Structure formats: structure tokens, C-alpha cells
Amino acid sequence: MAQWTSAVGAAQLARLLTSQQDRPAGPGTRRPPAYRALADGIRLLVLEGRVPVAARLPAERELALSLSVSRTTVAAAYEALRGEGFLESRRGAGSWTAVPAGNPLPARGLEPLPPEALGSIIDLGCAALPAPEPWLTRAVRGALEELPPYAHTHGDYPAGLPALRAMIADRYTARGIPTMPEQIMVTTGAMGAIDAICHLFAGRGERIAVESPSYANILQLMRETGARLVPVAMAAGLTGWDMDRWRQVLREAAPRLAYVVADFHNPTGALADEDQRRQLVEAARSAGTVLVADETMTELWLDDDVRMPRPVCGFDPAGSTVITVGSASKAFWAGMRIGWVRAAPDVVRSLVAARAYADLGTPVLEQLAVNWLFGTGGWEQAVEIRRAQARDNRDALVAAVRRELPGWEFEVPQGGLTLWVRAGGLSGSRLAEAGERVGVRVPSGPRFGVDGAFEGYVRLPFTVGGAVAEEAAARLGAAARLVESGGAGGGETPRTFVA
């Protein structure tokens, strides 16, 4: 019985491997033998989650032809991977990827580091900050006071608590976007919202246009629904979208959905201006594409001179083109898993009907907590705390990285939670692996792209400040030196840090 659960074709694997080589090697890098370089490349793809565990690899002859190397080179690479525990084989069944005993399964998204490991490794993988106290405690206490009447009901509210739906609708109306409660569905975080939208609009094989780069977890969610991702490059710097490219993709690919983060884009931090928003909505409407606007970062402006443009849905008064997704998880706390969808009433009804076969509804107590924050002014005060934390962390991290890694390039965003960094010609995948060895966890650029793009980048979130930011930058410097010396990507398995 074969032990593999998926397969990677020779052409696909060759393309992924080639993407690791599109940046120049650092000075003094030792060139490994061809078989060793191939084994290291496949191992990195497994550790990154870009090739799944238990994926059947192509036959030696097929891969050799795709890579234009000898079959002997591929055979030696496979043998090295078997010896290290990253490959298993069986006669008649082929070879499939694995991870050595004791090694954690690679993350295909950006899941938080387990709490027990936080004492020994600096986590720059998850763009989330601690709760803005005392507002979390106050919100939970307020929710408990409001809970008794709901405890006498069945507790299932597929569209969300009526009070919270009305509150969210009123907040859109206050922003100049008239909204009824019937246009709101409360979800289990923004991920739950986008998952529901993808299942409703984009069945297996449907095209979804996405910014390139884009948020890694959303890209993986879309892949797992069976969607075909169509990347659209961002404009240079932090200037938002390249509208010529968007118009071309929408016209030629006619995607069913398009997913965008207009406000402090994750990972680049870009802020799309009003004219770009207007043009994108018009282009999506002309193409018959449903535009999903992720507003999870919209309240996280960090500089006083930022003037926020109108929401994307403000350019779709009929509500026929734009679906907006919001969340409490970025602006307030990641542990508050409350998100919402704003859409036309018929779309909301369809999403609610489909929810009977998913999660049924969102926890009542957390909805009451968010409703309390919105209704008392606590939300605004908590978000102000969040902005101050993120601003201080951003400034500390920027200063530390500039000091420790002067060759790394980035622009400082005016909001959001992330810094998108070109890593001085080094491989982001190898930096991520070396970082695990020296005690800093950082996601590499390819997690945020499609088919191996952005190998020369890493994403750094504003989650640490002060001395911890300085130590994180120092460890990144150590990781960079390890990569430059050829010490990363050798035959060793990265050690796992435990508390």
C-alpha cells in the first residue's frame, strides 16, 4: 500500500527548485556538489511546507530530464534525503516526502509558535500582539453581564447576534457607507469569513486573482479549496496596486473572485489610494469578478499624518461587486476570534444558509465582548493602545535591522503590522532555516507568493520591541552569516528549540 497522499510533478518540482536560485549567492558561499544542492533544495521545500509531507516525488529519470542533470545526480540526492529521514521509498510505489522522527511537521501557513517554545526562540512568524489590557478583561466582564438572556436560548446564531450585526452596520454607516444589519454576517475571524466566501463563489478549479505577494494563510486556504490562484504584482514600493496589471488580469483571466488588502497590505504595508480603489472596483464590475476587500488592518495607521481613503465598498453603492471582510483579531487581539462580512443581503443569506454545513455560528460570549467594546467606546481606546504598541515596535525593529543588517532593503510602512524586507541577495528559505538554528523564527518570502516567488525576501512583523527587537535583529544577522558561509542548507536537520 503506497504511503503517499499527493503527488508533485517533475515540471512543478523543477520550477520550485529553480525559484530558490534566482538570487545571487552571498560572498564566500561554498558551492556544494550538484546532488547535495538538489537534496538541500527538496529538503527546504518540505520544511517550508511548499511541498507537502507524504507527497510522491517524480521518478529519477523524469526529474533529471526536467532539471537537465544526470540521473545519477537525482539518485544520489534521493539517497541523501532517505538517509536524513526526508524521503521514504518502496519498490513499486515510488518515493515520497517525510520528516525525521522528532521534527515538527512543516507549517503550510503561519501558525503561532507553541507557548512552551517562547522562552527559547523569538517568534517573528505571527503578526499578532498581546491583548490591549485592561480592555480585554473589561470586555469579558461586560459580556458576562449581558450573557444571562442568551443562556436561555439555543445559542446558535448563524448570522451573528442581532445586537452585534446592528452595531457593525452602524459603524459602516458612520464611515459614510450606509449599511443595514441584513448586510452583515458575523464569522469566526476573518479566515472563517474568507473560507465561507471562497466555498460559495469559487468552486474547485475556479480562478481567484490575488495580490503578489499576499497573506500566506489566505493563499493556502484558497489552494485547499481547489482554487487556481492568479497572481497580480503589486506596484513599486508602498504605492498600492499596479492598475494596468489588474485590468489585464481581470480582462484576460476573468477570475471568479479577487482578493485584496487595500489598507496596510500584508505583507508589504502598502496603502491603496482612492483612485486605485475606484478603478479596481470598476474593472472588477466590468469583468464580472467579485472583489473581496480585507479590512483587517484598516484601523492600524501608525503615523499621525496618515489620511485614510474611503473603504473599497464605498465605490460600490449597489453592493453588487464588493464583499468586505473585517475582524477584531488584528486591531484588538488575535485570541478574539470575531470577524464579519459586509455584502448585499442576498449574498449574506446564501453565506448563512451554507453555514449549516460548516461551523453553525460564532461563540456568543466573544460576540458580546466585541459588542460591549463597540458600544462603550472601549474599542477606540483599546485600538489606540494597539497603535502605540505597534508604532514603538516598528521603530525599534527598523532601527535594529538597519544597524545589524545594513544591506537589507525595505520601506517603512505608515501602518499595519509587517515589514517586507529584501534580504541582501540571500535566500529567504535558507534564512528561515538558519534562523531556527540560532533562535529566531521568521517566515520566508515564498510563503507569500505563488509557485516559489519572492525567494529573496522575508517578512518581519512588529511584534517585539526594545531589547527583544535588538536581540531578534542580532539573531537574524547570525542567521545571515550562517547562510553566507554555506552553513545553512547542509545535511544537518535544524534543531528544535523547546522551553
Side-chain angles (χ1 to χ4, degrees):
M1 181 72 178
Q3 300 299 306
W4 49 273
T5 57
S6 62
V8 180
Q12 179 187 7
L13 184 56
R15 186 168 62 250
L16 290 170
L17 289 165
T18 301
S19 75
Q20 298 177 333
Q21 303 166 6
D22 62 3
R23 302 292 299 167
T29 300
R30 298 194 303 270
R31 294 290 183 182
Y35 86 89
R36 182 69 262 171
L38 176 55
D40 290 345
I42 294 173
R43 179 169 56 87
L44 275 173
L45 291 173
V46 174
L47 289 171
E48 281 266 294
R50 291 158 62 201
V51 168
V53 176
R56 187 179 187 273
L57 296 186
E60 294 170 2
R61 187 185 303 276
E62 294 175 6
L63 185 57
L65 286 172
S66 291
L67 293 173
S68 298
V69 300
S70 70
R71 183 176 176 180
T72 302
T73 296
V74 177
Y78 278 15
E79 183 59 35
L81 289 168
R82 277 190 288 268
E84 295 160 11
F86 284 94
L87 196 68
E88 295 182 10
S89 303
R90 180 175 299 171
R91 185 178 298 276
S95 299
W96 56 91
T97 56
V99 291
N103 229 59
L105 285 174
R108 301 184 75 185
L110 298 176
E111 86 295 346
L113 191 69
E116 62 269 18
L118 291 175
S120 55
I121 190 166
I122 299 174
D123 185 11
L124 297 182
C126 186
L129 289 163
E133 289 288 29
W135 293 104
L136 174 61
T137 299
R138 292 178 181 176
V140 172
R141 288 173 177 165
L144 287 171
E145 292 177 359
E146 299 294 329
L147 183 61
Y150 296 94
H152 294 292
T153 73
H154 50 62
D156 286 336
Y157 296 88
L161 295 183
L164 181 56
R165 296 175 72 195
M167 187 70 74
I168 294 171
D170 288 346
R171 291 175 66 84
Y172 277 106
T173 300
R175 294 169 65 190
I177 315 297
T179 304
M180 304 178 295
E182 292 78 11
Q183 292 178 260
I184 302 296
M185 181 178 83
V186 181
T187 63
T188 307
M191 291 289 290
I194 294 170
D195 182 60
I197 292 166
C198 287
H199 279 91
L200 181 63
F201 286 96
R204 184 164 296 276
E206 293 277 7
R207 294 184 180 92
I208 302 179
V210 295
E211 296 151 327
S212 184
S214 188
Y215 179 36
N217 285 344
I218 293 297
L219 293 181
Q220 189 57 38
L221 182 157
M222 291 174 174
R223 291 186 187 103
E224 292 184 356
T225 66
R228 298 163 59 191
L229 302 184
V230 182
V232 186
M234 297 289 290
L238 300 179
T239 55
W241 300 319
D242 184 328
M243 286 311 307
D244 288 338
R245 292 182 179 178
W246 268 105
R247 277 189 289 267
Q248 179 182 4
V249 167
L250 293 176
R251 181 176 62 251
E252 296 179 357
R256 186 71 182 91
L257 285 179
Y259 168 77
V260 295
V261 185
D263 302 319
F264 310 119
H265 173 260
N266 185 354
T268 68
L271 178 65
D273 63 33
E274 286 207 2
D275 190 51
Q276 291 171 336
R277 297 170 191 233
R278 180 184 297 104
Q279 290 185 55
L280 185 56
V281 172
E282 291 173 354
R285 185 181 297 116
S286 297
T289 297
V290 176
L291 185 62
V292 181
D294 184 333
E295 286 192 339
T296 52
M297 298 283 188
T298 194
E299 297 192 63
L300 291 178
W301 66 85
L302 305 183
D303 296 333
D304 293 336
D305 59 348
V306 176
R307 294 294 177 264
M308 293 300 296
R310 273 193 293 168
V312 176
C313 60
F315 301 96
D316 181 38
S320 59
T321 299
V322 178
I323 297 177
T324 303
V325 171
S327 172
S329 298
K330 293 296 185 184
F332 185 76
W333 184 47
M336 189 68 78
R337 304 303 306 160
I338 299 295
W340 52 86
V341 172
R342 181 199 180 274
D346 62 319
V347 172
V348 169
R349 286 193 295 270
S350 296
L351 289 169
V352 171
R355 198 170 195 181
Y357 309 103
D359 62 356
L360 292 178
T362 304
V364 169
L365 189 63
E366 292 184 30
Q367 291 187 72
L368 289 172
V370 172
N371 194 58
W372 184 92
L373 287 166
F374 285 159
T376 62
W379 176 266
E380 285 71 23
Q381 296 183 64
V383 171
E384 188 55 46
I385 293 173
R386 171 65 74 243
R387 291 192 194 108
Q389 289 174 322
R391 184 185 307 114
D392 290 347
N393 288 356
R394 179 197 63 181
D395 296 346
L397 186 64
V398 164
V401 171
R402 282 176 171 164
R403 182 175 59 253
E404 295 287 341
L405 295 149
W408 287 20
E409 303 168 44
F410 55 85
E411 292 188 54
V412 181
Q414 292 187 295
L417 290 172
T418 57
L419 196 66
W420 185 237
V421 181
R422 187 191 295 270
L426 300 178
S427 159
S429 299
R430 285 175 166 77
L431 279 168
E433 184 187 10
E436 294 280 351
R437 301 184 183 195
V438 299
V440 60
R441 181 173 182 259
V442 57
S444 66
R447 289 178 178 258
F448 303 89
V450 177
D451 283 342
F454 307 110
E455 182 59 53
Y457 289 79
V458 293
R459 189 195 75 171
L460 306 180
F462 312 145
T463 53
V464 296
V468 180
E470 294 179 6
E471 178 61 22
R475 294 185 187 187
L476 285 172
R481 290 188 292 274
L482 190 61
V483 173
E484 288 171 346
S485 69
E492 307 172 21
T493 299
R495 73 175 184 269
T496 301
F497 287 82
V498 295

